[in-house]
Amino acid sequence: MRSNISTTFTFRQGGLALRSIVAGCTLLSLGTAGAHQAWLEQNAKEATLYFGEFGENLRETSPGLLDKFVQPVAQKISAKGNAPLAVAKSANGFPISGRAAKGESIVAEEPGYPVSERKDGDKVTRSIYVPAARLVTDFSQQAPVLTLDLVPTGQPVKGAVEVQAFYKGQPLPKAKVVIVTSAGWSQEHRTDAQGKLTAALPWKGTYVLELTHNDTTGGERNAEKYHRASYVTSLTLPQTAGLGALPASPPATPNK
């Protein structure tokens, strides 16, 4: 773990940002997550896929931006293999017909988010956005499944977790990962040459780690050509040790 680096922790509560400087952490730069992400949460019955800003307690709704999702797909990953799960739609998310037990994982993605276009004179750039999410119940090792994936490595680190980023099954170096709590605290990291990073998780509770990657090689999806792909994948994981959990941010108003 890198040391002797000054870091800024940001808390956002009701629009107020409180900052403190701490030395000896791995943070490269800091801020709240700037773009929407999809993430998974689960209760005793089922998992649910949400879209919005986890750190701002913002869950987009239908009618609204949630309708940009065409039909998310999900599966459970366990020692028995990978099993598809049914995905429904509610007013503020997508309930999934299953949940992850200890050592298991649920992954979900939206493969049909609408293509966007940007014009610069006669030039038209077509872009796709690929939101995806993974939920784990502990820090045990997981194998990558999603096109862009972030998984625990299973290596024990006191008070922290080691994760590894993958793109198309290969380790992704220098990738941006933002760690967020429901209280609005966040840290920004970059993965090392092997796509790994070790992140401190100071408080008990749920953390969402957001991994982003842009690919400008172009391609074709659903018979539509594009020039640029923007992947955003989140990893939801629990921390059961540490300081008491921080209070969640007040619910934010969904966009229309």
Side-chain angles (χ1 to χ4, degrees), residues 160-185:
V161 62
E162 184 183 75
V163 295
Q164 188 171 18
F166 290 88
Y167 180 58
K168 295 183 177 179
Q170 299 300 313
L172 184 63
K174 309 300 181 183
K176 177 182 173 181
V177 178
V178 179
I179 304 173
V180 184
T181 72
S182 61
W185 174 90

Side-chain angles (χ1 to χ4, degrees), residues 9 14 44 67 69 72 74 85 90 100 103 117 121 149 160 164 220 226 237:
F9 295 157
D67 296 325
F69 280 55
L85 298 171
S90 67
E117 291 187 353
D149 216 341
Q164 188 171 18
E220 186 174 310
Y226 62 87
L237 50 78

Side-chain angles (χ1 to χ4, degrees), residues 128-187:
I128 63 169
Y129 170 58
V130 187
R134 175 187 286 268
L135 177 146
V136 297
T137 55
D138 55 31
F139 299 165
S140 59
Q141 185 178 19
Q142 297 281 340
V145 173
L146 300 163
T147 303
L148 180 69
D149 216 341
L150 186 65
V151 296
T153 65
Q155 295 299 315
V157 186
K158 186 176 180 180
V161 62
E162 184 183 75
V163 295
Q164 188 171 18
F166 290 88
Y167 180 58
K168 295 183 177 179
Q170 299 300 313
L172 184 63
K174 309 300 181 183
K176 177 182 173 181
V177 178
V178 179
I179 304 173
V180 184
T181 72
S182 61
W185 174 90
S186 67
Q187 283 186 333

Side-chain angles (χ1 to χ4, degrees), residues 16-226:
L16 177 64
L18 307 177
R19 300 176 182 268
S20 62
I21 305 299
V22 181
C25 295
T26 60
L27 183 61
L28 302 183
S29 61
L30 169 92
T32 55
H36 274 29
Q37 71 277 155
W39 76 93
L40 288 161
E41 295 183 36
Q42 71 176 16
N43 54 31
K45 181 182 177 181
E46 63 186 9
T48 300
L49 178 68
Y50 295 104
F51 181 58
E53 295 283 352
F54 179 72
E56 297 180 11
N57 202 0
L58 168 62
R59 291 165 174 78
E60 297 295 2
T61 58
S62 177
L65 290 190
L66 190 64
D67 296 325
K68 292 283 189 179
F69 280 55
V70 180
Q71 182 53 64
V73 294
Q75 59 180 315
K76 183 166 75 172
I77 302 168
S78 69
K80 297 179 181 179
N82 300 356
L85 298 171
V87 181
K89 186 176 183 179
S90 67
N92 71 340
F94 295 90
I96 296 171
S97 64
R99 66 185 308 279
K102 184 177 180 179
E104 297 179 341
S105 182
I106 290 179
V107 297
E109 65 178 346
E110 170 49 70
Y113 199 92
V115 175
S116 63
E117 291 187 353
R118 185 178 67 180
K119 293 184 178 181
D120 184 6
D122 294 332
K123 182 180 179 181
V124 177
T125 301
R126 295 172 59 81
S127 302
I128 63 169
Y129 170 58
V130 187
R134 175 187 286 268
L135 177 146
V136 297
T137 55
D138 55 31
F139 299 165
S140 59
Q141 185 178 19
Q142 297 281 340
V145 173
L146 300 163
T147 303
L148 180 69
D149 216 341
L150 186 65
V151 296
T153 65
Q155 295 299 315
V157 186
K158 186 176 180 180
V161 62
E162 184 183 75
V163 295
Q164 188 171 18
F166 290 88
Y167 180 58
K168 295 183 177 179
Q170 299 300 313
L172 184 63
K174 309 300 181 183
K176 177 182 173 181
V177 178
V178 179
I179 304 173
V180 184
T181 72
S182 61
W185 174 90
S186 67
Q187 283 186 333
E188 183 179 313
H189 295 253
R190 291 282 174 174
T191 60
D192 65 14
Q194 289 75 46
K196 296 180 179 180
L197 67 85
T198 300
L201 306 176
W203 301 277
K204 295 178 182 178
T206 300
Y207 290 77
V208 169
L209 283 61
E210 179 187 282
L211 170 66
T212 58
H213 179 65
N214 295 320
D215 188 334
T216 58
T217 57
E220 186 174 310
R221 185 188 69 175
N222 300 331
E224 290 186 287
K225 292 184 178 180
Y226 62 87

